[in-house]
Amino acid sequence: MKVIESSKIYSGEELENIFFRPIFSGEKSTEEVGFRTMYNVPLPATIGLWIPDSSLLRPYQRGWQGSDGTERLYCDIDMQRVKAESAFAATDYFTHVYEYLVNKADVNMQDLSGTILEKVETELFRAALAEGVRLTSWIGNTLSDTSLRTFDGVLKHIHKYATDRRTPSFTIDDTPSVDNIIDILDTLWHSSDYVLRSLRKDNQLAYFVTGDIYEAYEQYLDSKGADSAYRESIDGRERLCYHGIPVVNMGVDHMIKYCKLPTTVAVLADRRNLVLALNTADCPEAEVRLWYNPDSMENRQRAVFLAGTCVIDPKLVSYAYSK
């Protein structure tokens, strides 16, 4: 067998439970995407963010003295129909799937049943789709000429809000380096809204940065004379933090320059304030289809669903960018 001719269509509950929920729900998805993910929010998609009431306590006296309670911020997400398609020459596709199987210890290579191949095909396409959604969620721009124009990402929203002066922001005039990286991170913190700083106790704040800022901060840590810095410069670090707040490399440098966005970016935000929403329940055309086309001798893959992003409260973001 040198080609994979079996076909598979995921739709309805099967599409939700087998394909989308494993990658776009729960804490694991939030960590991989970088921020909050919501799956199958009823349309029209409206996402909220709770801000606890700090003036809840009252002097005791008879009768009801309740406040207005917790403030809830709302944002409507503009959901867009998205189609992801790919095609491979049949022999190349079989080689790709076969190589993946060889590296799995629990597969009997003498018994490659249709179920095993179907599972591997699903895993491979699911991983590719997840990466495409992750990238678009950050730097998608419907006005660009790239493949990341299906829906606007959070950086597109943040940059617009900064231009409208709804988000605290400043420009980075010099190339990020050991000499100025702390100034960049400190300015992000001190220029942010006091409400955002007060949310630090919830452990949801993060500095989301492009690779040049991430590397500058890593070099800054390497330059310290402590033994721990020396060990970390050799062994690496699991993650970077600044004053206890994670510094996260968005992993968008290879594509951001094509998306009509600044190429050097740093964002201080609460993960819960940045939202990716996906929906297959309210999209009649929603499906994932894997099939073999004998006319062109290609293995083809297609996914159709709804997607969109939003920043719930523009004030709860601090933004730095290059001109």
Side-chain angles (χ1 to χ4, degrees):
M1 179 175 63
K2 293 298 182 183
V3 297
I4 299 174
E5 299 186 23
S6 60
S7 61
K8 180 61 182 175
I9 300 175
Y10 296 97
S11 60
E13 291 186 2
E14 193 176 41
L15 174 64
E16 176 177 339
N17 296 327
I18 295 178
F19 207 90
F20 275 88
R21 280 202 179 275
I23 53 175
F24 295 121
S25 62
E27 293 183 3
K28 183 175 183 294
S29 175
T30 299
E31 291 176 0
E32 291 180 352
V33 174
F35 48 86
R36 185 177 172 193
T37 59
M38 304 291 289
Y39 180 65
N40 271 357
V41 177
L43 296 183
T46 301
I47 306 296
L49 176 66
W50 293 97
I51 303 294
D53 184 4
S54 59
S55 59
L56 191 63
L57 298 182
R58 298 285 190 277
Y60 177 79
Q61 57 180 299
R62 186 175 179 178
W64 173 254
Q65 294 178 272
S67 67
D68 293 335
T70 302
E71 180 182 4
R72 184 168 172 81
L73 307 172
Y74 292 96
C75 179
D76 295 329
I77 301 183
D78 183 19
M79 303 289 286
Q80 301 291 331
R81 277 185 172 82
V82 175
K83 182 171 69 170
E85 294 180 323
S86 61
F88 303 87
T91 53
D92 293 340
Y93 187 69
F94 175 78
T95 302
H96 181 48
V97 172
Y98 190 84
E99 181 181 356
Y100 184 85
L101 285 168
V102 167
N103 293 323
K104 295 177 69 70
D106 58 344
V107 174
N108 180 2
M109 300 303 295
Q110 305 303 317
D111 181 24
L112 295 182
S113 64
T115 303
I116 294 174
L117 293 174
E118 177 185 308
K119 181 179 179 181
V120 172
E121 284 187 281
T122 299
E123 288 181 10
L124 290 172
F125 186 44
R126 192 162 53 194
L129 182 63
E131 176 60 11
V133 170
R134 186 196 71 81
L135 269 176
T136 309
S137 298
W138 277 117
I139 59 174
N141 187 348
T142 53
L143 300 179
S144 71
D145 298 325
T146 72
S147 60
L148 304 180
R149 64 181 184 275
T150 49
F151 59 94
D152 287 332
V154 295
L155 288 184
K156 169 76 176 297
H157 297 307
I158 291 173
H159 193 74
K160 180 179 182 300
Y161 292 144
T163 304
D164 297 340
R165 300 184 182 277
R166 297 171 62 187
T167 289
S169 65
F170 62 95
T171 57
I172 301 173
D173 297 324
D174 300 319
T175 302
S177 67
V178 172
D179 298 326
N180 65 9
I181 184 61
I182 297 303
D183 289 338
I184 293 173
L185 297 178
D186 277 345
T187 305
L188 277 171
W189 175 261
H190 292 296
S191 63
S192 64
D193 189 276
Y194 73 94
V195 177
L196 176 62
R197 296 197 295 271
S198 71
L199 296 175
R200 180 176 181 175
K201 64 183 182 301
D202 296 338
N203 296 320
Q204 292 293 329
L205 297 190
Y207 289 99
F208 298 107
V209 302
T210 46
D212 51 354
I213 292 181
Y214 188 89
E215 291 170 8
Y217 183 52
E218 197 165 36
Q219 291 169 7
Y220 170 82
L221 296 177
D222 291 344
S223 69
K224 297 302 178 183
D227 291 340
S228 59
Y230 174 74
R231 288 194 302 270
E232 289 173 348
S233 67
I234 296 175
D235 300 332
R237 302 174 177 86
E238 290 187 7
R239 70 170 186 169
L240 303 187
C241 289
Y242 182 60
H243 289 172
I245 300 175
V247 179
V248 180
N249 187 343
M250 293 181 289
V252 299
D253 296 68
H254 61 297
M255 289 296 293
I256 193 170
K257 63 183 178 181
Y258 303 113
C259 296
K260 298 183 179 180
L261 293 169
T263 55
T264 295
V265 170
V267 174
L268 174 63
D270 188 303
R271 294 178 188 270
R272 297 165 297 186
N273 192 36
L274 313 179
V275 181
L276 160 67
L278 298 158
N279 189 296
T280 57
D282 299 304
C283 179
E285 306 90 346
E287 68 169 12
V288 169
R289 183 186 296 261
L290 312 171
W291 77 100
Y292 173 70
N293 186 303
D295 294 332
S296 59
M297 299 180 66
E298 287 182 336
N299 284 91
R300 296 180 176 180
Q301 304 166 332
R302 175 187 294 140
V304 180
F305 54 98
L306 298 173
T309 64
C310 77
V311 178
I312 298 176
D313 189 346
K315 298 190 303 296
L316 299 183
V317 176
S318 187
Y319 178 54
Y321 62 98
S322 60
K323 291 185 178 180

